[in-house]
Structure formats: C-alpha cells, structure tokens
C-alpha cells in the first residue's frame, strides 16, 4: 500500500475566523475537518429532518433553518443568511448541490458582507446556465455537442428543434446538475412526457424549468477536468477523472486517471480547461465536463462551478487538500504554481454507496441503519455522516457514503475496493453495495473499457447476486431458529429424541418460502426447503460490540462461514458478502393476498415522497403499464404505473402531497371484472 500524506499546509491569515457550511451530511463534515485544521470556527445549519444528524453536532455552533423539504431549509437563502448573521459567521461554504451553483445566493452573501467560498456570481451565472456556457465555449473555439439552447421554450418549438437535431436527443435543465432535469429521448412519441418530467424535476431541484436540447452521443466516456483559479490570475488543472459509470445520469464510480486518456489527450483537454478558467477570470474550484467518443474526439458539456462530490479522487492523486485551496482563494491568497502543479501519481477509485435498490430500477430507500461499521480496513477512506441508528430521510440525495481507495496501480485499487465492499456490513437500509462490487469485478470495467452505456448494457446482471450454495431462506431460517433458542440449549447435543420439525414462512424480495427446521440430537440443525435438506452446525453466535451487530458462525458441508445479522421486529437483515438480504418472518401472518404485485388494481407508493404529477383522472380508462402518479423522492422522479388494465375508480393523493411508503395512490377496477 502506498500512503500519500497531504503536503503540510501553509499558515493562512484569513479575513474571517468563523465559517458556516450551507449544506448537510458528509460534505459538511468534510469541510469542517479542513476548517478546523486551519483554525477556523464552524457553524452548521440543519432542517427539522436533520436535527440529530452528525454534521449538526460536529460543528462549534448550529442553527435550525426550516422544515424537511429543501425549499424550506437548504434552498432557503434568507434563512441561511440570517443563520450566518445570528451565529457570527463571516464566510459561507456552500458544499455541493443545493445552493452551491446559485448566483443569487453568492450575490446575497456578498451583499450581506459575508465571504462566499466559491466563484463570483457572474462566473456562476455564465457557466451555471448550460445554454450560455455552451455559447461561451463555442465562441472560444471549444468543441461542443450540437443542439438547441434558445429562448423560445414553448413545447412546440422544442419538439420541432428535437426533430431538426435528430433522435436520440438529450433534454437538459440549463440550471441542472447531478443528473436532475435530464432525460434521454429516443423517439418523438416520448418527447412531450420527457419534457414535462425534466422541467418538473428541474423546478423542484433548482427553481428553474428552462431546458436545452443536445444531440445524444451514445456510449461515450464521461471525462471531467478539475480546475482552479485565483484572483491573481493563476489558473491550473490537476488532471482528469473518468465518471462514465452512471445511472440516471448520476455518477456511481469515479477514477483517476482515466484508462481512456493518453498523455497527449490529457494535455489537450487540460489546455482547453485552463483557457476557459482564464477567459472567465474564474476564482475557486470548478470542473469542466466533456464527452469523449470512440475516435478520441471530446465535446464540452458543462462546467460545474463548485467542488465535486468526487473531488477526493483527485486529492489523493495529487496529495493536496482542495477545500483548503478554496478557503485560501476566498481569503485572497495567491496559490503558488509550484504548489499547485504537483504531478499526479498512482490510481484512485471511488464508489458512491447509495440507499437504493438496484433490483427495482435503483428505487430510493429510506429508514434507519441498525449497524454501521467504523474503522473497517485501513486502506479505504470512507466519507460519510452515517452511524449506528442514523436515519436516511426521503427528502435529500440517496448517497450515504463515498468509499475511496488509492494504490500504486488500477488493479490494486480495484481489488482492495472490492475487498472492502465484500466485508462491510451496514444493515437496516438497502444499498447498492453488491451492485458496486459486481460492477468493479465485471470484465468490461476491469479492462478499462466501460462507457456511459455500461449500466444500460449490464445493469440487469449486476443488480442481483449469483445464487449461493446455501439459499438465503435456509440461512435465514437457521439464524432465526437459533437466535430464539434459549442459551442453555445452544450448541449442546440433545440426548432425548428430536422434536417435530418447526415450519417457518419467510418473505424475501416479495416471495414466500416454506422452510421446515428440526433440531437433531447431535446439536445440528436440519432444514428442508424446496425438496432439499440442508444440515448446519452452529459454531458460535456472538455480538460484535464494535459494529453493533451479531455475527453467526456456522459450518455447512464441512466449511465454516460467518454471517453478520441484525433483527428489527419481524425483519431479519443478513449480510452475505457485499449484499444485504432483508427477510420478513411471516410465519404467523395471514396468507398473502392475491394481487399483491399490483394486479389487484391498487397502485401503492413504493417510497416516501412528494406527488409531483397525477397523470390520470377518476373514471379514466387505463392500460397496464400506463403512468398513474409520479413521486419525487431524494431529488429524483419515480413514475408509478398501472399493474393491469381497467378504470380509475379512486385517486388517493393529489399533487404537492407528501405520502409514505405503501400509501394508496390509485385504485383501478379491472375491465375483466
């Protein structure tokens, strides 16, 4: 393992001593860490949903700023400015997301006499509007993707421009970022609904529904160049990151350097990026994003005028602290070129651990983590605000942690990151951990050939784990049975005859499994499932106090193995390698009702969320698969469709309403009844 210490920081006399971070979660914690190293006092802001979050208690001071919805709190400019004044904060760092690329916020800070740790409002406006940014880059000779970014935003004009560009086209929110307000449209029949959805998502996330259109360049690489500039005319880049592994245009895996970028290409892309920084008179951290096609041609997409989620990838490769640079630049310091332009070395890979279910089209998940290991494996850096008992609310982004590994080579970094994912056991909320592990192991990624089409091409195979020797239902039944066995009877041979088999009914992924469990006289456990018998001997069951979990050690077919688990009411959470298995013990529950898959006509909310669109009216005739209601959760829209053809007999929710998981959204009477 290569240990890369960050360069000892210079002493910086900032014109401010107290820094407010207008954000939440892991990015707030990450900024607080650097601020403390620089001798700055810190202030946290929080919504009512985050009152018990780690970032609130990590700061020197904290201020409540509103309700759980982003518009009520983290997007509430007057509330944040008021919080800064009340707490005595002289500077504000926006983090990423929320108001990080909002020119009005940067301007409000400066008008209030507060230092904004970021670029000028003019730079944010110039590059935050995708249409204007493309025009500026095109004027500067930077290659851009063909498209339309006009003022006429009528549905008719946009549809006509899409036809002129030629399908497939991309709809993009001009104020967007993070994949929000972005839709790929393959044919004209899909355009109207995709436009409505993109606008709605953009308004909810950014307060601006203006869009542009671009020719879709299919299966490119997504390459970004990290840049900085200070007010003394210095501008530099620190190389590229490859962010091609994405779902819904949101990144899941990032690495540096890119396996597709040669030394010559890196030089050319870097020159273009630095030229843009100087032309803008840009101050602070920024990222220019490009599409790289199979012929080595690159096209400017957008510039993010903020710190990126994946900034740690480049930090580890160059041994510098980017947040420190941001604060120094905001304080008016000049960054010496010999300090900035350090050579990159080694290879870094980052994965985003998200609360979502890849097997259900990455459906967001919310809930409480029953376990959250800390200190697992020293070679991985884990940026997170999660802990045992932490809640994942439905109002914000689904990312719960970033896991980053730096090594001498790409193969070493990839192997160690896969090992970490195989051992980490965060139980209680479904995450994409197993999906990430299988993505890293896939031959296309391993060979450095992955493009933005990777998940579209291979996602179905990556979403579900391969069957294991011991079925999940059998292992779950054994753990549940042994967990309820009195301690004085555990692991001891029985001298009397074996009791009758105990029938258990377990529900996994919506399917019920019958398992018969019988304790043998020699202490082994015999389980019957699907016509096959399995014999397990429990070796040990012990609490793991460091991880707040229980680890069950058992022997099957002569091989000893161990599984972390945790119970929560009638649910059992098992960690099998990188995958979490959620089991419900429904032995005493009534038999499942026919039509639980939605064919009974009931459309139920799949997650906590806000209703942003109702696509039908009561009494309307619908077909199977037709959109009924769209919910917005964790800043993304999710369409709920009819499970069967019929007539809408009832609508259970209205636009703007907040609903919980399982809430009836609509009832459809079958045409066959």
């Amino acid at each position: 393992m290569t240990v890369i210490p960050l360069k000892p920081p210079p002493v910086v006399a900032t014109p401010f001593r107290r820094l407010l971070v207008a954000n939440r979660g892991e990015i707030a914690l990450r900024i607080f860490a650097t601020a403390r190293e620089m001798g700055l006092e810190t202030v946290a802001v929080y919504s009512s949903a985050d009152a018990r979050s780690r970032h609130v208690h990590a700061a020197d001071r904290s201020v409540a700023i509103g309700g759980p919805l982003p518009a009520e709190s983290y997007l509430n400019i007057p509330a944040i400015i008021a919080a800064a004044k009340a707490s005595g904060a002289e500077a504000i760092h926006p983090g990423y997301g929320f108001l990080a690329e909002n020119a009005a916020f940067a301007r409000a800070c400066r008008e209030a006499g507060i230092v904004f740790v970021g670029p000028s409002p003019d730079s944010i406006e110039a590059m935050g509007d995708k249409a204007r940014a493309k025009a500026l880059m095109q004027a500067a000779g930077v290659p851009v993707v063909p498209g339309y970014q006009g003022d006429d935003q009528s549905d008719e004009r946009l549809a006509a421009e899409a036809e002129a560009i030629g399908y497939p086209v991309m709809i993009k929110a001009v104020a967007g970022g993070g994949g929000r307000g972005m839709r790929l449209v393959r044919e004209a029949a899909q355009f109207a609904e995709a436009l409505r959805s993109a606008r709605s998502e953009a308004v909810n996330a950014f307060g601006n529904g203006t869009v542009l259109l671009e020719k879709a360049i299919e299966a490119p690489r997504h390459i970004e160049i990290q840049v900085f500039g200070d007010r003394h005319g210095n501008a530099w880049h620190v190389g590229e990151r490859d962010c091609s592994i994405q779902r819904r245009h949101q990144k899941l895996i990032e690495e540096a350097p890119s396996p597709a970028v040669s030394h010559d290409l890196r030089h050319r892309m870097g020159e273009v990026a630095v030229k843009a920084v100087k032309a803008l008179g840009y101050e602070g951290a920024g990222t220019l994003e490009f599409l790289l096609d199979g012929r080595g041609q690159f096209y400017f997409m957008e510039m993010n005028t903020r710190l990126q989620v994946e900034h740690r990838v480049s930090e580890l490769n160059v041994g510098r602290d980017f947040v420190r640079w941001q604060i120094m630049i905001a304080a008016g310091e000049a960054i010496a070129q010999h300090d900035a332009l350090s050579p990159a070395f080694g290879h870094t890979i980052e994965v985003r651990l998200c609360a979502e279910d890849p097997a259900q089209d990455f459906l967001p998940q919310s809930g409480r983590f029953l376990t959250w290991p800390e200190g697992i494996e020293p070679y991985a850096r884990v940026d997170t605000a999660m802990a045992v008992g932490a809640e994942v609310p439905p109002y914000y982004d689904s990312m719960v942690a970033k896991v980053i590994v730096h090594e001498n080579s790409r193969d070493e970094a990839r192997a160690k990151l896969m090992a970490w994912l195989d051992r980490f056991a965060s139980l209680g909320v479904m995450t994409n951990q197993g999906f990430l592990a299988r993505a890293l192991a896939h031959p296309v990624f391993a060979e450095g050939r992955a493009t933005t089409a990777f998940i579209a091409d291979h996602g179905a195979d990556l979403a579900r784990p391969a069957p294991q020797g011991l079925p999940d239902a059998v292992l779950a039944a054994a753990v549940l049975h042994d967990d309820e066995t009195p301690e004085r009877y555990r692991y001891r041979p029985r001298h009397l005859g074996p009791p009758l088999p105990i029938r258990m009914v377990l529900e996994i992924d919506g399917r019920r499994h019958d398992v018969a469990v019988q304790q043998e006289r020699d202490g082994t456990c015999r389980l019957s499932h699907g016509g096959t018998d399995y014999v397990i001997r429990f070796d040990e069951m012990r609490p793991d106090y460091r991880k707040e979990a229980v680890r069950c050690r058992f022997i099957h077919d002569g091989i000893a193995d161990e599984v972390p688990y945790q119970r929560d009411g009638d649910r059992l959470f098992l960690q099998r390698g990188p995958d979490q298995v959620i089991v419900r013990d429904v032995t005493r529950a009534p038999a499942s009702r026919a039509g639980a898959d939605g064919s009974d006509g009931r459309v139920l909310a799949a997650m906590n969320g806000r209703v942003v669109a109702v696509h039908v009216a009561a009494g309307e005739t619908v077909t199977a698969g037709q959109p009924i209601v769209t919910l917005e959760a964790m800043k993304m829209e999710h369409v709920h469709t009819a499970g069967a053809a019929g007539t809408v007999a009832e609508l259970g929710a209205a636009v703007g309403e907040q609903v919980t998981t399982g809430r009836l959204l609509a009832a459809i009477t079958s045409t066959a009844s």
Side-chain angles (χ1 to χ4, degrees), residues 394-541:
Y395 311 106
Y396 314 119
D397 192 88
S398 64
M399 188 181 75
V400 295
K402 301 184 305 190
V403 187
I404 314 106
V405 171
H406 177 93
E407 275 300 333
N408 292 319
S409 70
R410 186 175 189 268
D411 285 343
E412 289 177 280
R414 189 176 66 88
K416 289 194 172 181
L417 191 47
M418 286 191 295
W420 187 95
L421 290 167
D422 196 53
R423 297 168 187 169
F424 186 69
S426 58
L427 301 174
V429 180
M430 180 68 76
T431 71
N432 62 344
Q433 184 174 333
F435 182 93
L436 294 171
R438 285 183 286 279
L440 292 172
H442 196 282
V444 171
F445 183 84
E447 295 165 11
R449 296 185 287 110
T451 69
T452 56
F454 178 78
I455 288 181
D457 292 343
H458 308 289
D461 296 330
L462 302 175
R464 297 185 183 277
Q468 303 189 40
L470 196 61
D472 293 336
V474 171
L475 180 57
V479 169
L480 285 166
H481 172 75
D482 201 75
D483 194 41
E484 293 180 343
T485 302
E487 184 69 32
R488 63 183 181 276
Y489 294 129
R490 274 192 203 152
Y491 322 124
R492 295 183 183 178
R494 300 177 62 91
H495 299 292
L496 301 176
L500 294 175
I502 298 172
R503 178 178 177 265
M504 302 185 73
V505 183
L506 307 178
E507 186 177 271
I508 304 173
D509 288 337
R511 297 182 58 188
R512 295 198 171 195
H513 301 262
D514 285 284
V515 185
V517 186
Q518 184 168 350
Q519 191 80 28
E520 302 288 359
R521 286 190 299 173
D522 62 358
T524 60
C525 188
R526 182 178 297 276
L527 301 102
S528 299
H529 174 260
T532 303
D533 287 349
Y534 303 86
V535 177
I536 295 177
R537 177 186 294 276
F538 287 98
D539 186 40
E540 181 183 20
M541 295 184 76

Side-chain angles (χ1 to χ4, degrees), residues 83-105:
K85 291 181 177 180
S87 63
E90 303 133 312
I92 292 179
H93 194 305
Y96 53 69
F98 293 128
L99 295 171
E101 295 178 283
N102 188 302
F105 180 51

Side-chain angles (χ1 to χ4, degrees), residues 21 61 81 86 153 155 203 253 264 327 355 440 443 461 463 475 482 499 527 555 563 570 619 625:
V21 177
R61 300 183 179 191
I81 297 296
Q153 289 284 301
D155 292 4
V203 169
I253 302 175
D264 176 65
I327 294 173
L440 292 172
D461 296 330
L475 180 57
D482 201 75
L527 301 102
I555 300 172
V563 57
D570 66 348

Side-chain angles (χ1 to χ4, degrees), residues 318-335:
V318 300
R320 295 293 188 273
D321 183 334
F322 292 173
V323 173
R324 176 177 292 273
W325 272 350
Q326 285 186 294
I327 294 173
M328 291 172 65
I329 291 167
E333 293 287 319
I335 308 296

Side-chain angles (χ1 to χ4, degrees), residues 585-597:
D585 184 356
V586 294
T587 304
R588 297 175 179 84
S592 60
R593 179 178 46 80
D597 58 355

Side-chain angles (χ1 to χ4, degrees), residues 66-136:
L69 294 177
E72 301 168 341
S73 50
Y74 299 108
L75 292 176
N76 188 336
I77 294 175
I80 293 172
I81 297 296
K85 291 181 177 180
S87 63
E90 303 133 312
I92 292 179
H93 194 305
Y96 53 69
F98 293 128
L99 295 171
E101 295 178 283
N102 188 302
F105 180 51
R107 191 169 285 115
C109 289
R110 299 191 178 189
E111 289 173 353
I114 298 169
V115 175
F116 179 75
V117 181
S120 68
D122 290 342
S123 290
I124 295 175
E125 284 180 338
M127 302 309 288
D129 184 308
K130 288 184 172 65
R132 185 177 173 191
K134 283 187 66 177
L136 287 171

